Amino acid sequence: MAKIIKLDQHTANLIAAGEVIERPASVVKELVENSIDAEARNIEINLVDAGITEIVVSDDGVGMDPADARMCVEPHATSKIRDKQDLFRITTLGFRGEALPSIASVSHFRLKTSTDGHKGILYSLKGGAFVSEAVIACPRGTEITVRNLFFNTPARLQNLQSQSQELSHITDYVSKIALARPDIAFKLTNNDRVLLQTYGNGNLLEAISQVYGLEIAKHMLSFYESVGYFQVSGFASDLNVSRANKLQITIIVNERVIKNHAVTNAVLAAYKERLVIGRYPLVVLKISADPALIDVNIHPAKLEVRFSAENELLNLVTHAISYALHNSELIPEAEEKNPVPLPPAEEKAEEEFLDIGLEEETHFEDDLDELLRMFEVDQEEPRQYPKEELIKEEPQEPPRFEQQEYSFIEEEGERESLLPKMYYIGQLHGTYLLFQDEENFYMIDQHAAYERINYEKIKRELQKDRNISYELLIPIKLNFTISESLLLAERIEELRNLGIIIEDFGSGTYTVREIPIWIPKGSEREFVEEIINAVIKRGKVERIEFLDSLAKNLACKRSIKANQYLDKNVIDYLIGDLSRCENPYNCPHGRPIIVKFKNTEIEKWFRRIVT
Ligand code: ADP
Ligand code: MG
């Protein structure tokens, strides 16, 4: 008996929805892309409960006539391509004709649209089934309302994350599309609160400022370069701004936001040796290319594209950004080069001075003196030594061995040493420490040893119920994207438990006032940023597991690197600490710390004994 049947339309739509519509952000993306394809100049996205309850996207685009309005929710119905030839010259964001039927099949869907701005049509469906149709008065354009998303697919509904996480996916997307289309005005609200608004005047730098804030925009360098069929342009952050992840590298190809590893790496190549390891720039990279050179039809969400002549493009990207960075380096910016974040207290004090100054001048002068004195001390800070000189000056300064200040490994009832008693012989290549005892010769990888010690210490500190923190003299100012801010706001308490006291300063700026005492001096910012980023991104992992992986990441941050010559007393401390570790044999990533050669083994090498 034949087993193959043709699926009914509704089932087919649900399957397509499974591919394209994963979460509220996918709905927003598909609807906004349709509005862009409809040549809208203004696009508004209004959400209720991060889109889980309701998503309304309205535009002032070309609209649809009644026949098209009925047709657009049918599968494979599109106005954007006619035949297979068109597939090779796609200039619109959509072309599959899958989005609307998919969305309509998993929601309460309502469409209002008009092509002339007088008469329009209202068309509604529930779970893909027709509900009603009416002729209405309606401005030109289209408004689509999606309510109760996934009401008929409980598994998908269950899989949704918290509202702030879902919202952050949406703000991420809208931020990027707003950067891709500075010529379109976007407005995004959630429960009536405006999260993002751009003005659509076509100025990319202005859009950057609306998305990332003015402070970041001031640090963006423009670049432009072209070869025959590719043209790259955009803005790249200078070296005073960086992030702990790559997410703010936005790649736009022919006005489509895409993901592409090779291009991201080409961007990073321009910053190689300019930014420290683990720091990433903010970049808005626009690539214009002949549509015939790109294939967007390889991913259902159209996020990935394939390029012909890819290598040429990659070189062009690296070169253009490198050149902009290089030029900016030639311009001396004494103040900018060494950014000591201006303490908000000072800014505020200045403002207050202006205000109060008019009324009560006399009182204030004392305060001002005091204030100046306070900041005099801090202003001494920025020294201009190049990095290498600093290292030469104090070559023996062990990065984490602030013994006097803070005991490294707590001696809880003096654990029995797992290491043999060894005598130090010397150091090899600034990387391995050599030891001996009666029977053996030992080599220790100093970097791996430090990593292990740091890891155990940090893990212990993180796992404490309450971290002891201290107040920073100069608070650390940090910038976050809209979506990061949303997640951060929800996790302030979690950070407090880890000993980080952080305050919202508005428009993505946060101030860290207190940090845990175990964070090594000089690495405050780096550690705090890493911790906050980890907390923001934390998925559904257990706390213990989470803290463990955080400790691993932090441990390798400041561990001593290979190629560093160590002083004898530093080595003593190192071995002392290592011997008190739970596991002195492997670094947190599992590589060996210590290897042993038996004397008999060595004698065999030299044929002193015969086997
Ligand atoms: P695609 O975008 O791949 O063509 P969709 O399912 O997203 O498929 O949309 C189907 C069709 O509905 C589009 O081709 C377009 O003609 C029409 N459409 C959808 N949204 C809009 C809109 N906001 N304004 C005008 N027409 C629209
Ligand atoms: Mg579409």
Side-chain angles (χ1 to χ4, degrees):
M1 193 179 74
K3 300 188 194 77
I4 302 177
I5 53 153
K6 201 155 181 227
L7 290 176
D8 67 75
Q9 202 52 68
H10 180 64
T11 313
N13 287 344
L14 278 176
I15 291 171
E19 252 182 65
V20 198
I21 309 300
E22 224 186 327
R23 50 170 27 107
S26 349
V27 174
V28 170
K29 175 178 187 289
E30 293 297 336
L31 296 183
V32 166
E33 289 190 354
N34 281 345
S35 296
I36 294 173
D37 285 341
E39 292 162 13
R41 310 311 319 157
N42 292 280
I43 300 174
E44 234 182 82
I45 305 121
N46 297 308
L47 311 170
V48 177
D49 303 335
I52 296 168
T53 305
E54 184 180 276
I55 299 168
V56 183
V57 174
S58 49
D59 67 53
D60 58 354
V62 296
M64 288 176 260
D65 65 21
D68 279 353
R70 286 178 207 112
M71 186 67 173
C72 76
V73 285
E74 296 293 323
H76 312 300
T78 179
S79 57
K80 298 169 192 176
I81 54 175
R82 297 259 153 232
D83 52 36
K84 67 174 195 263
Q85 256 64 46
D86 287 345
L87 258 188
F88 300 101
R89 41 171 186 260
I90 288 164
T91 55
T92 49
L93 294 171
F95 56 85
R96 292 165 178 265
E98 263 174 358
L100 294 188
S102 301
I103 295 168
S105 72
V106 290
S107 69
H108 298 185
F109 182 94
R110 192 183 70 187
L111 164 70
K112 282 185 194 174
T113 185
S114 163
T115 50
D116 60 15
H118 301 294
K119 225 163 68 178
I121 178 168
L122 183 150
Y123 196 74
S124 62
L125 299 98
K126 194 169 170 178
F130 174 81
V131 173
S132 68
E133 183 189 318
V135 174
I136 52 164
C138 177
R140 191 187 99 134
T142 302
E143 177 193 287
I144 290 177
T145 304
V146 174
R147 258 190 220 133
N148 306 328
L149 184 64
F150 302 139
F151 78 101
N152 55 354
T153 50
R156 199 134 279 216
L157 190 60
Q158 278 229 305
N159 254 325
L160 292 183
Q161 296 167 306
S162 74
Q163 282 196 22
S164 51
Q165 275 167 317
E166 291 302 337
L167 191 55
S168 82
H169 290 295
I170 296 175
T171 54
D172 269 340
Y173 167 72
V174 179
S175 299
K176 297 214 158 182
I177 197 78
L179 293 171
R181 296 303 301 262
D183 56 325
I184 298 176
F186 290 91
K187 184 172 176 188
L188 168 67
T189 71
N190 182 51
N191 297 339
D192 293 325
R193 183 173 149 221
V194 179
L195 296 175
L196 175 67
Q197 184 159 23
T198 64
Y199 296 104
N201 64 1
N203 183 327
L204 177 57
L205 191 55
E206 207 158 295
I208 289 175
S209 153
Q210 278 137 11
V211 169
Y212 291 120
L214 186 60
E215 218 27 62
I216 298 284
K218 281 187 199 156
H219 286 286
M220 300 299 275
L221 308 165
S222 76
F223 59 88
Y224 173 90
E225 226 165 283
S226 72
V227 284
Y229 28 82
F230 288 122
Q231 181 191 310
V232 304
S233 65
F235 287 88
S237 59
D238 69 20
L239 305 183
N240 297 305
V241 172
S242 66
R243 288 296 169 90
N245 59 51
K246 297 179 206 172
L247 298 178
Q248 302 322 319
I249 298 174
T250 305
I251 306 167
I252 299 153
V253 178
N254 292 352
E255 305 187 321
R256 180 194 297 277
V257 179
I258 61 137
K259 286 189 181 153
N260 183 302
H261 262 294
V263 177
T264 305
N265 287 337
V267 169
L268 292 177
Y271 285 88
K272 208 173 156 216
E273 279 153 29
R274 287 182 162 116
L275 280 183
V276 288
I277 292 171
R279 302 299 303 179
Y280 302 93
L282 277 99
V283 175
V284 181
L285 166 65
K286 301 192 112 174
I287 301 172
S288 310
D290 183 333
L293 288 176
I294 49 186
D295 182 0
V296 290
N297 196 19
I298 55 174
H299 188 280
K302 298 158 290 186
L303 273 175
E304 281 165 41
V305 302
R306 226 172 256 149
F307 297 97
S308 313
E310 186 175 83
N311 279 337
E312 240 167 300
L313 172 68
L314 300 181
N315 285 335
L316 189 68
V317 167
T318 307
H319 189 260
I321 299 177
S322 255
Y323 188 73
L325 288 171
H326 178 71
N327 275 351
S328 82
E329 282 162 1
L330 295 177
I331 305 167
E333 281 179 71
E335 274 169 32
E336 297 284 284
K337 282 280 152 181
N338 237 323
V340 183
L342 186 67
E346 190 188 29
E347 284 175 338
K348 271 209 176 140
E350 265 172 16
E351 281 164 22
E352 270 162 28
F353 173 47
L354 293 178
D355 286 342
I356 307 164
L358 298 173
E359 293 162 26
E360 332 176 335
E361 254 159 273
T362 42
H363 266 144
F364 189 71
E365 272 180 6
D366 299 347
D367 292 355
L368 181 66
D369 269 357
E370 164 125 20
L371 198 72
L372 287 176
R373 245 177 289 126
M374 234 173 84
F375 284 108
E376 241 171 301
V377 187
D378 302 329
Q379 304 284 280
E380 273 173 20
E381 201 48 20
R383 281 184 229 150
Q384 301 281 352
Y385 304 128
K387 274 222 173 76
E388 299 86 89
E389 252 176 62
L390 269 181
I391 291 167
K392 262 185 233 145
E393 234 180 71
E394 305 169 77
Q396 300 307 348
E397 169 80 19
R400 299 184 128 260
F401 265 73
E402 286 120 2
Q403 287 289 337
Q404 326 75 316
E405 185 185 317
Y406 198 71
S407 157
F408 223 74
I409 301 272
E410 274 165 36
E411 281 149 57
E412 26 173 61
E414 206 47 49
R415 198 200 316 276
E416 202 180 318
S417 171
L418 293 170
L419 292 179
K421 182 129 190 71
M422 311 178 292
Y423 300 91
Y424 179 63
I425 311 172
Q427 200 180 11
L428 178 68
H429 300 324
T431 302
Y432 304 102
L433 305 174
L434 313 179
F435 295 85
Q436 62 177 335
D437 61 15
E438 298 271 300
E439 312 273 293
N440 309 288
F441 166 58
Y442 301 93
M443 286 175 82
I444 287 187
D445 178 330
Q446 64 189 40
H447 172 62
Y450 266 103
E451 234 181 72
R452 162 55 61 179
I453 296 167
N454 291 341
Y455 162 66
E456 288 199 8
K457 179 200 157 199
I458 295 172
K459 189 165 80 165
R460 191 175 329 225
E461 293 295 340
L462 286 172
Q463 285 174 353
K464 283 184 180 161
D465 282 343
R466 198 94 182 101
N467 261 275
I468 305 170
S469 53
Y470 72 97
E471 197 171 332
L472 290 164
L473 202 56
I474 304 182
I476 300 172
K477 224 176 172 186
L478 297 173
N479 266 301
F480 294 96
T481 60
I482 303 164
S483 82
E484 288 166 339
S485 300
L486 291 166
L487 295 173
L488 181 54
E490 210 185 42
R491 301 193 177 171
I492 293 217
E493 199 48 38
E494 197 172 337
L495 286 167
R496 182 183 286 269
N497 288 337
L498 293 173
I500 296 178
I501 312 281
I502 184 164
E503 278 169 23
D504 189 346
F505 231 69
S507 58
T509 306
Y510 282 77
T511 331
V512 179
R513 301 216 165 272
E514 289 184 27
I515 63 169
I517 51 169
W518 58 264
I519 290 185
K521 304 282 160 297
S523 296
E524 293 87 350
R525 171 176 283 265
E526 200 188 352
F527 268 61
V528 165
E529 263 190 285
E530 179 80 27
I531 296 172
I532 294 177
N533 266 296
V535 167
I536 290 178
K537 272 189 293 181
R538 177 180 170 184
K540 284 180 180 156
V541 291
E542 292 293 324
R543 183 175 159 83
I544 291 279
E545 217 178 295
F546 167 70
L547 295 179
D548 187 66
S549 85
L550 178 58
K552 277 182 191 162
N553 287 341
L554 292 171
C556 64
K557 276 218 167 314
R558 240 181 70 122
S559 293
I560 204 163
K561 297 292 182 251
N563 276 318
Q564 191 163 339
Y565 286 88
L566 301 179
D567 207 48
K568 176 72 170 67
N569 69 347
V570 173
I571 292 166
D572 286 346
Y573 278 131
L574 174 75
I575 297 308
D577 279 345
L578 185 63
S579 66
R580 281 190 291 271
C581 280
E582 268 170 51
N583 170 1
Y585 307 120
N586 300 96
C587 83
H589 306 101
R591 287 190 302 275
I593 292 173
I594 179 165
V595 293
K596 172 169 93 176
F597 304 86
K598 283 199 175 120
N599 282 349
T600 51
E601 202 65 29
I602 297 171
E603 283 171 347
K604 272 186 226 159
W605 297 346
F606 296 98
R607 310 256 165 95
R608 283 165 162 258
I609 53 173
V610 209
T611 41

